[in-house]
């Protein structure tokens, strides 16, 4: 009787082990982990309206700073790295040329910004927006970098200038047909405030 009971217990233990092994093998393999680049792309959920607001609000913050000579608000809109890298005196110096030329950025308030390249999310999860406003006689150009901090996009880098747009080609019937050429490149913006990163 004892031998039979022992054999029954042993059989139950073996059966439990077999069931547990089969269950473990039937589980699906874990999902592969996303690379940092893939994770960054997944976070790129920003619509056109938000992009327009980011561009216009940043340009207008710079306009107010140029008008008053007070760059505290522009600085406070920046990321922690931006605020650490640039104080008010440095921002005042950086945008001296734009301010002394008397350039008004106010048209950016009512015009639609153009993007000369698709919004880009860098490996550091920075949103880069590059484009211009169709203003005359000078064209407002911008190169803006933002970083999301606490679910809010903060300025990480800003480059703004007003330059003459590329000259239009005038058709002349007496001249030979024009050859295809690359479009004229705009002059690099003079006002620049892009935080540098420490070497790894």
């Amino acid at each position: 009787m004892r031998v039979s009971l022992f054999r029954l217990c042993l059989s139950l233990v073996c059966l439990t082990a077999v069931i547990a092994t089969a269950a473990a093998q039937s589980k699906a393999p874990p999902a592969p982990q996303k690379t940092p680049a893939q994770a960054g792309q997944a976070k790129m959920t920003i619509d056109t309206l938000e992009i327009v607001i980011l561009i216009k609000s940043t340009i207008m913050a710079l306009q107010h700073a140029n008008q008053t000579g007070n760059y505290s608000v522009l600085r406070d809109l920046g990321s922690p790295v931006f605020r650490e890298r640039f104080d008010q005196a440095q921002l005042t110096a950086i945008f001296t040329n734009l301010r002394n030329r008397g350039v008004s950025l106010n048209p950016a308030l009512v015009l639609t910004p153009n993007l000369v390249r698709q919004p880009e999310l860098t490996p550091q999860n920075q949103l880069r927006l590059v484009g211009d406003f169709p203003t005359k006689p000078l064209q407002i150009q911008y190169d803006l970098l933002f970083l999301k901090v606490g679910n809010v996009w903060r300025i990480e880098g800003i480059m703004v200038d007003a330059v003459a747009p590329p000259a239009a080609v005038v058709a002349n019937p007496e001249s030979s047909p024009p050859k295809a050429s690359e479009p004229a490149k705009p002059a690099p913006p003079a006002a620049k405030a892009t935080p540098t990163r420490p070497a790894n």
Side-chain angles (χ1 to χ4, degrees), residues 10-97:
L10 186 60
S11 298
L12 287 174
V13 170
C14 292
L15 181 61
T16 304
V18 169
I19 293 173
T21 303
Q25 291 176 347
S26 66
K27 285 183 179 178
Q33 301 229 347
K34 291 182 179 181
T35 64
Q38 290 172 331
Q41 290 299 326
K43 294 178 184 176
M44 184 60 173
T45 54
I46 180 169
D47 59 25
T48 303
L49 179 60
E50 191 173 1
I51 288 175
V52 171
I53 291 172
L54 275 176
I55 295 170
K56 289 194 172 201
S57 62
T58 303
I59 298 296
M60 293 315 300
L62 177 58
Q63 169 64 20
H64 295 154
N66 285 342
Q67 277 182 331
T68 62
N70 184 346
Y71 291 81
S72 61
V73 174
L74 180 66
R75 181 176 178 271
D76 290 343
L77 291 172
S79 67
V81 172
F82 183 88
R83 293 197 302 270
E84 181 180 347
R85 179 71 178 86
F86 301 103
D87 58 24
Q88 288 194 59
Q90 289 171 312
L91 291 174
T92 301
I94 288 169
F95 293 106
T96 296
N97 179 272

Side-chain angles (χ1 to χ4, degrees), residues 32-176:
Q33 301 229 347
K34 291 182 179 181
T35 64
Q38 290 172 331
Q41 290 299 326
K43 294 178 184 176
M44 184 60 173
T45 54
I46 180 169
D47 59 25
T48 303
L49 179 60
E50 191 173 1
I51 288 175
V52 171
I53 291 172
L54 275 176
I55 295 170
K56 289 194 172 201
S57 62
T58 303
I59 298 296
M60 293 315 300
L62 177 58
Q63 169 64 20
H64 295 154
N66 285 342
Q67 277 182 331
T68 62
N70 184 346
Y71 291 81
S72 61
V73 174
L74 180 66
R75 181 176 178 271
D76 290 343
L77 291 172
S79 67
V81 172
F82 183 88
R83 293 197 302 270
E84 181 180 347
R85 179 71 178 86
F86 301 103
D87 58 24
Q88 288 194 59
Q90 289 171 312
L91 291 174
T92 301
I94 288 169
F95 293 106
T96 296
N97 179 272
L98 198 65
R99 188 175 59 254
N100 289 347
R101 288 162 55 199
V103 173
S104 174
L105 304 176
N106 283 323
L109 190 61
V110 295
L111 295 175
T112 302
N114 298 320
L115 288 174
V116 298
R117 56 193 293 179
Q118 287 296 318
E120 172 189 358
L121 198 64
T122 71
Q124 295 77 29
N125 288 328
Q126 299 166 320
L127 174 65
R128 187 178 184 193
L129 303 173
V130 183
D132 57 59
F133 286 89
T135 50
K136 295 180 181 180
L138 298 179
Q139 185 182 76
I140 298 172
Q141 299 179 349
Y142 57 84
D143 189 345
L144 308 174
L145 207 59
F146 299 92
L147 181 68
K148 206 161 212 180
V149 180
N151 208 33
V152 176
W153 288 108
R154 297 285 188 173
I155 300 171
E156 182 87 340
I158 175 171
M159 188 162 53
V160 178
D161 199 6
V163 299
V169 178
V170 179
N172 185 352
E174 298 178 0
S175 61
S176 58

